[in-house]
């Protein structure tokens, strides 16, 4: 089994107005490649902090976070940016697409950042992804012209276009209705199966939890339970 | 890898496209900023064009009526020129002029005799400068006095009379045909007085000529000063299209061998040139304050845009855009806002400058009898210089980018995790 990410005794302490907040307290977790993992827990349990640590958006106060074969501790902001650029994809609760760019340009953006200079190559990869997420006909639309579900599909395509080691999704179904949420989960499941991409979600949503093949529950910054499950499957 | 293909960096084209579209997000705000910048740039471009135009007119005026392109003196004269001494005169003028004429780029030469004098109408007496000029053709080949005659006519060869500066004529309330007494002193210190009729009145716009000078024939001057075939200077006009500095250098080489001094008009008028440079610098500095104020608007626009898009910046950084890329994006937005405003201002300025370059501004209507400090007559004209327009426009873009430095740096310093949390 290849390990996509590994957390060892990770702690994260914030100081807010002179008060120390222990957001994550000694979490150890090994995420295998191709996992479809959901991190669940009540508000304030440390889900988002853990996702930020896995996403190299933040570094731990103690312990180590290893993504692939590299730890994030002690890396400069610039190196972390390059690391995220190469290894990580993000799907946000509020989609966070660039409103002034078209769907195609939004998906193409990470490739430009990655230094894929050849326009034809970028276009080929973008078109392939847009086809997979079912948005081929909407490539020239702006995000504002799309529904919430369509925007989230664009965000998924954008996260996957650079073939990352890990895709991190923060409450990916929070801003869409239940029917669309189901579609989005099916889509991510397909991508996970078809491409073997590792997905890690933070969520409150039982629907997301049901789809995950592994469910990690956090409570007060600690792992309360770590269960492997079948994961709800759909015929595709 | 080229800069366009380095990971974590957005290429220039992609940055430009994104920056341009970002500017169009809030069109009203962008246009308000651009209009402010355009007004400041319009003012700056207009002022620079008028300044350059007036300076050029001044230089032409000095060359046409006072300094020529260069003047030859006997050794020691230039150092004491304020006193208009008669102890350092040029002799053997024909040979000297013939020698100078051979220098490449020299079009014409003429001898002149400058001296101190007083003019009197029997009631008032005014100290002024007299200049003896050669009427048999050569003075008009170097200077443009005939074109500046505002009343009467130019002196004819052999005619005894004077051309009086328009300011002096006003002072004496004199007209063509009136007589004035010229009082002067010979080299040996003997006083001479000569009554001469006013043949013409000269208005050049140059206060040195108009308010302080009268012109007589070289023969009359020599007669009053008790001098032989002498002159205090030989004025030189360069050919049209001749390279000024190269011609001057060649002239210096030729004449210094003969023991004379040569001074180009720039050296002779160094004080005026320094004054013009100071005035130019002062005016540009003052007008730049308007541009700076307009650029504060650019800072504010970029600051607001960066604040509104905090989460988006966090997302870009999450995707791997480095801080430098964020700075580049906002600096480009600022520069584009500046260039947009600068383009509008420069285009408006181009139209107005073209008008002012052909029609000019009536100085008397604008300033009355006030001395504007430049030897310019009647109208001042703007100089239409496309290169200056472009340079000022591009400089506005650069300055606008500089004005965006603070908001850009601020946006790029925020950790992505914080930016993503921004409500």
């Amino acid at each position: 089994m290849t390990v996509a990410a590994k957390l060892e005794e990770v702690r994260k302490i914030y100081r807010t107005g002179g008060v120390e907040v222990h957001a994550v307290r000694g979490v150890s977790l090994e995420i295998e490649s191709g996992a479809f993992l959901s991190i669940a827990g009540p508000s304030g349990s440390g889900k988002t902090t853990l996702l930020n640590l896995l996403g190299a958006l933040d570094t731990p106060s103690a312990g180590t976070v290893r993504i692939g074969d590299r730890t994030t501790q002690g890396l400069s902001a610039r190196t972390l940016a390059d690391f995220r650029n190469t290894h990580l994809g993000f799907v946000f609760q509020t989609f966070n697409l660039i409103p002034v760019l078209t769907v195609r340009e939004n998906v193409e953006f990470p490739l430009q950042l990655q230094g894929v200079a050849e326009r034809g190559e970028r276009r080929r990869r973008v078109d392939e992804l847009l086809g997979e997420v079912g948005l081929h006909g909407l490539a020239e639309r702006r995000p504002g012209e799309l529904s919430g579900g369509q925007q989230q599909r664009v965000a998924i395509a954008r996260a996957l276009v650079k073939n990352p080691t890990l895709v991190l999704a923060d409450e990916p179904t929070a801003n869409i209705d239940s029917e669309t949420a189901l579609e989005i989960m099916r889509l991510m499941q397909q991508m996970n199966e078809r491409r073997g991409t590792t997905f890690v979600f933070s969520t409150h949503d039982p629907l997301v939890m049901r789809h995950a093949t592994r469910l990690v529950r956090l409570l007060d910054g600690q792992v309360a339970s770590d269960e492997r499950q079948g994961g709800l499957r759909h015929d595709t | 890898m080229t800069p366009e293909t380095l990971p974590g960096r957005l290429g220039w084209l992609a940055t430009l496209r994104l920056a341009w579209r970002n500017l169009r997000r809030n069109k009203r705000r962008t246009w308000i900023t651009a209009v402010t910048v355009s007004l400041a740039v319009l003012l700056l471009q207009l002022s620079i064009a008028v300044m350059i135009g007036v300076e050029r007119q001044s230089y032409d005026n000095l060359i046409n009526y006072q300094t020529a392109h260069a003047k030859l003196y006997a050794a020691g004269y230039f150092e004491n020129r304020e006193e208009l001494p008669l102890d350092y005169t040029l002799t053997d003028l024909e040979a000297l002029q013939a020698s100078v004429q051979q220098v490449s780029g020299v079009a014409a030469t003429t001898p002149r005799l400058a001296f101190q004098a007083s003019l009197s109408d029997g009631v008032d007496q005014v100290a002024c400068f007299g200049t003896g000029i050669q009427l048999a053709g050569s003075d008009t080949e170097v200077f443009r006095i005939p074109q500046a005659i505002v009343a009467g006519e130019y002196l004819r060869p052999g005619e005894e009379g004077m051309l009086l500066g328009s300011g002096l004529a006003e002072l004496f309330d004199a007209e063509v045909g009136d007589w004035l007494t010229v009082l002067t002193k010979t080299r040996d210190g003997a006083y001479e007085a000569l009554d001469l009729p006013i043949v013409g009145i000269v208005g050049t716009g140059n206060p040195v000529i108009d308010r302080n000078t009268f012109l007589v024939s070289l023969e009359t001057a020599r007669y009053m000063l008790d001098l032989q075939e002498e002159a205090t200077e030989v004025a030189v006009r360069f050919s049209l299209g001749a390279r000024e500095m190269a011609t001057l250098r060649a002239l210096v080489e030729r004449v210094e061998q003969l023991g004379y001094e040569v001074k180009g008009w720039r050296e002779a008028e160094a004080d005026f040139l320094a004054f013009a440079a100071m005035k130019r610098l002062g005016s540009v500095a003052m007008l730049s304050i308007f541009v700076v104020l307009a650029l504060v608007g650019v800072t504010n626009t970029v600051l607001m845009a960066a604040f509104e898009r905090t989460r988006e910046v966090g997302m870009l950084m999450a995707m791997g855009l480095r801080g430098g890329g964020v700075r580049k994006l906002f600096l480009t937005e600022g520069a584009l806002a500046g260039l947009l405003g600068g383009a509008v201002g420069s285009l408006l300025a181009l139209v107005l400058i073209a008008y002012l370059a052909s029609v000019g501004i009536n100085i008397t209507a604008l300033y009355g009898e006030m001395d504007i400090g430049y030897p310019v007559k009647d109208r001042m004209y703007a100089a239409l210089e496309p290169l200056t327009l472009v340079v000022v426009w591009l400089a506005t873009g650069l300055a606008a980018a500089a004005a965006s430095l603070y908001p850009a740096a601020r946006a790029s310093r925020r950790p992505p995790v914080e930016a993503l949390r921004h409500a």
Side-chain angles (χ1 to χ4, degrees):
Chain A
M1 180 194 73
T2 329
V3 175
K6 189 174 179 181
L7 288 84
E8 286 178 300
E9 276 303 309
V10 169
R11 292 175 185 277
K12 184 67 191 179
I13 304 165
Y14 295 110
R15 281 176 184 81
T16 321
V19 179
E20 278 194 354
V21 178
H22 293 253
V24 174
R25 305 163 183 243
V27 168
S28 293
L29 203 63
E30 200 172 89
I31 304 169
E32 66 277 14
S33 287
F36 204 62
L37 185 148
S38 177
I39 300 170
S43 294
S45 60
K47 298 188 300 292
T48 302
T49 305
L50 201 61
L51 214 65
N52 287 340
L53 292 168
L54 275 169
L57 291 168
D58 210 348
T59 50
S61 309
T64 54
V65 175
R66 184 179 292 277
I67 316 287
D69 57 357
R70 196 148 182 201
T71 58
T72 59
Q73 216 164 10
L75 298 182
S76 66
R78 177 189 259 217
T79 317
L80 281 174
D82 291 349
F83 184 75
R84 289 193 298 271
N85 181 233
T86 320
H87 295 285
L88 300 164
F90 293 89
V91 177
F92 299 98
Q93 181 180 337
T94 47
F95 324 128
N96 283 2
L97 299 175
I98 305 171
V100 293
L101 298 184
T102 63
V103 166
R104 185 194 301 287
E105 288 164 345
N106 264 286
V107 179
E108 192 184 1
F109 195 83
L111 294 179
Q112 289 180 314
L113 271 186
Q114 247 188 1
V116 180
E118 219 255 297
R119 195 160 175 256
E121 166 68 4
R122 291 202 305 261
R123 202 180 168 102
R124 187 189 63 72
R125 284 167 70 174
V126 170
D127 284 347
E128 184 188 315
L129 241 315
L130 287 179
E132 283 191 55
V133 300
L135 289 176
H136 207 286
L138 304 176
E140 301 310 323
R141 298 257 182 104
R142 295 270 175 98
E145 298 167 313
L146 304 179
S147 68
Q150 287 170 329
Q151 288 191 53
Q152 199 58 303
R153 281 168 184 267
V154 178
I156 291 166
R158 184 179 65 183
L160 287 169
V161 75
K162 54 187 179 179
N163 295 322
T165 311
L166 198 60
V167 170
L168 300 148
D170 186 16
E171 305 274 8
T173 56
N175 278 343
I176 44 183
D177 60 69
S178 56
E179 200 177 322
T180 313
L182 190 60
E183 279 176 25
I184 292 296
M185 285 317 295
R186 277 180 189 163
L187 177 67
M188 287 201 277
Q189 212 171 43
Q190 282 167 17
M191 294 297 163
N192 170 250
E193 285 166 5
R194 214 180 284 165
R195 294 175 161 256
T197 311
T198 309
F199 279 82
V200 176
F201 312 95
S202 79
T203 190
H204 280 103
D205 188 349
L207 178 84
V208 177
M209 293 182 217
R210 278 207 306 275
H211 278 80
T213 54
R214 187 174 165 195
L215 180 63
V216 174
R217 288 184 188 277
L218 291 184
L219 192 64
D220 298 331
Q222 291 177 310
V223 175
S225 67
D226 182 356
E227 296 162 12
R228 289 176 195 278
Q229 55 187 34
L232 186 61
R233 283 289 179 270
H234 304 272
D235 293 330
T236 53
Chain B
M1 280 191 277
T2 66
E4 288 285 323
T5 62
L6 285 169
R9 292 185 192 175
L10 200 56
W12 274 111
L13 273 178
T15 305
L16 268 174
R17 181 178 60 188
L18 188 55
W20 176 246
R21 291 197 194 165
N22 281 334
L23 275 182
R24 291 170 60 195
R25 279 192 201 196
N26 196 329
K27 286 183 187 156
R28 190 189 298 174
R29 187 168 66 199
T30 301
W31 274 113
I32 288 173
T33 309
V35 165
T36 318
V37 173
S38 70
L39 288 175
V41 169
L42 169 67
L43 207 62
L44 187 64
Q45 296 271 35
L46 263 182
S47 307
I48 290 174
V50 170
M51 248 181 306
I52 293 175
V54 170
E55 280 180 24
R56 282 199 191 145
Q57 270 180 275
S58 303
Y59 302 156
D60 285 346
N61 187 296
L62 287 170
I63 291 164
N64 287 336
Y65 302 121
Q66 191 182 338
T67 62
H69 283 111
K71 281 183 178 176
L72 276 58
Y73 305 102
Y77 182 89
F78 188 76
E79 204 181 323
N80 299 292
R81 66 190 184 283
E82 302 290 334
E83 296 157 26
L84 301 179
L86 298 172
D87 304 321
Y88 309 92
T89 53
L90 300 166
T91 52
D92 201 7
L93 291 168
E94 275 182 27
L96 178 60
Q97 282 180 264
S99 173
V100 169
Q101 290 279 16
Q102 286 169 6
V103 174
S104 165
V106 168
T109 61
T110 189
R112 279 188 157 199
L113 183 51
F115 57 97
Q116 291 187 24
S118 294
L119 285 177
S120 172
D121 62 355
V123 180
D124 297 309
Q125 187 169 321
V126 176
C128 54
F129 310 129
T131 303
I133 58 174
Q134 194 166 60
L135 296 175
S138 77
D139 202 84
T140 53
E141 286 171 23
V142 176
F143 294 99
R144 302 281 180 262
I145 301 294
Q147 283 93 315
I149 300 286
V150 292
E153 56 188 25
Y154 193 65
L155 288 166
R156 279 187 291 269
E159 185 175 13
E160 282 222 337
M162 71 164 74
L163 298 174
L164 188 65
S166 56
L168 282 172
E170 226 169 89
L171 201 67
F172 283 112
D173 198 15
E175 292 174 359
V176 172
D178 290 352
W179 287 70
L180 290 175
T181 305
V182 181
L183 298 156
T184 187
K185 215 157 69 166
T186 66
R187 183 158 50 195
D188 302 326
Y191 286 96
E192 283 287 342
L194 185 67
D195 289 338
L196 291 172
I198 300 167
V199 176
I201 291 172
V202 179
T204 63
N206 182 336
V208 173
I209 309 293
D210 297 351
R211 295 180 192 169
N212 299 302
T213 304
F214 67 94
L215 302 148
V216 294
S217 74
L218 200 54
E219 293 73 25
T220 305
R222 283 172 179 155
Y223 169 75
M224 284 191 290
L225 299 167
D226 194 21
L227 294 174
Q228 303 306 308
E229 297 293 307
E230 295 165 71
T232 51
E233 63 196 37
V234 168
V236 182
R237 177 169 280 271
F238 296 165
S239 314
L240 204 67
R243 287 168 54 213
E244 186 185 320
M245 296 320 286
T247 308
L248 187 61
R249 271 197 302 275
L251 197 57
V252 168
E253 268 174 39
R254 170 66 59 99
V255 170
E256 282 188 348
Q257 286 172 359
L258 305 171
Y260 300 111
E261 286 180 345
V262 177
K263 300 292 172 190
W265 72 273
R266 288 177 197 276
E267 191 177 350
E269 289 300 322
D271 288 348
F272 172 74
L273 291 178
F275 156 81
M278 282 277 287
K279 198 158 176 168
R280 192 187 321 135
L281 201 70
S283 303
V284 170
M286 213 168 73
L287 289 163
S288 296
I289 293 171
F290 290 106
V291 180
V292 169
L293 287 177
L295 291 176
V296 171
V298 174
T299 308
N300 192 42
T301 299
V302 178
L303 201 61
M304 280 162 74
F307 179 75
E308 285 165 5
R309 295 191 343 244
T310 303
R311 253 210 344 228
E312 192 176 304
V313 169
M315 180 272 297
L316 292 174
M317 292 176 98
M319 283 202 291
L321 184 66
R322 292 178 182 172
V326 174
R327 277 195 297 279
K328 186 160 117 180
L329 181 63
F330 284 111
L331 289 182
T332 309
E333 284 180 31
L336 284 178
L339 285 172
L340 180 70
V344 173
S346 299
L347 283 174
L348 286 173
L350 176 69
V351 174
L352 282 170
I353 291 168
Y355 174 78
L356 292 178
S358 66
V359 177
I361 306 164
N362 187 333
I363 298 172
T364 318
L366 203 63
Y367 295 102
E369 293 305 312
M370 202 172 81
D371 184 3
I372 62 165
Y374 291 98
V376 174
K377 191 184 170 190
D378 300 336
R379 303 186 87 79
M380 52 185 182
Y381 295 90
L384 182 56
E385 295 245 311
L387 185 65
T388 308
L389 284 167
V390 171
V391 167
V392 170
W393 173 56
L394 292 178
T396 308
L398 269 180
S404 314
L405 266 172
Y406 167 69
R410 204 174 121 126
S412 70
R413 275 201 299 265
R414 198 164 194 170
V417 71
E418 252 182 48
L420 283 165
R421 269 204 301 265
H422 184 82

